[in-house]
Amino acid sequence: MEECIFCKIVKGEIPAKRIYEDEDYLAFHDINPQAPVHVLIIPKKHIESLNAAGEEHRALLGGLLLVAKKVAAEMNLKKGYRLVINTGPDGGQEVFHLHLHLLGGRALAWPPG
Ligand code: AMP
Ligand code: ZN
């Protein structure tokens, strides 16, 4: 995926404020934060969206949630947080590399807009 912006971030070709990294995952601050804490957590492997994930990604998807929990703890989100996966046009997905939004640092409204 030559032109995928998140693959470029993984490769270090585009800068990002990285806050967590391991062999399979990367977390970095969203460039356009919607809350005091707005972090994106991605698998390093390019998967277009949740809809493109299959049974073979079961462990990778589970690991993504565990990384999110770890990052939330590191960001000191003791009062809670929200995880979001925008999927497809109605979901508001703009970047087609699977990512989890971690939002926190203020009380978040429900339902979302
Ligand atoms: P989504 O609408 O779920 O696809 O979310 C894409 C998110 O990626 C948006 O919140 C953008 O602000 C964010 N984003 C786009 N480009 C970058 C970048 N270069 N660094 C950090 N976040 C980005
Ligand atoms: Zn990608």
Side-chain angles (χ1 to χ4, degrees):
M1 265 286 160
E2 271 302 303
E3 70 281 20
C4 172
I5 190 163
F6 287 178
C7 282
K8 286 185 175 172
I9 287 175
V10 169
K11 287 189 265 179
E13 293 172 7
I14 290 178
K17 290 185 192 162
R18 295 167 180 243
I19 52 176
Y20 176 87
E21 181 166 11
D22 65 23
E23 201 182 333
D24 297 317
Y25 305 99
L26 179 65
F28 51 94
H29 290 283
D30 196 293
I31 206 168
N32 182 22
Q34 302 302 312
V37 173
H38 188 173
V39 170
L40 300 176
I41 302 146
I42 68 170
K44 288 184 171 178
K45 180 182 169 59
H46 182 88
I47 301 169
E48 265 195 21
S49 79
L50 188 59
N51 281 345
E55 190 57 40
E56 69 276 23
H57 301 117
R58 177 179 287 269
L60 194 70
L61 292 175
L64 189 66
L65 286 177
L66 292 175
V67 168
K69 188 182 82 166
K70 195 183 297 189
V71 173
E74 280 175 16
M75 301 302 286
N76 212 24
L77 296 174
K78 291 199 178 93
K79 289 173 78 181
Y81 53 87
R82 184 172 296 164
L83 299 174
V84 175
I85 300 179
N86 295 326
T87 305
D90 273 8
Q93 186 176 4
E94 288 177 354
V95 175
F96 287 83
H97 179 131
L98 178 63
H99 53 279
L100 198 56
H101 295 258
L102 167 63
L103 297 151
R106 66 169 167 84
L108 299 162
W110 190 265

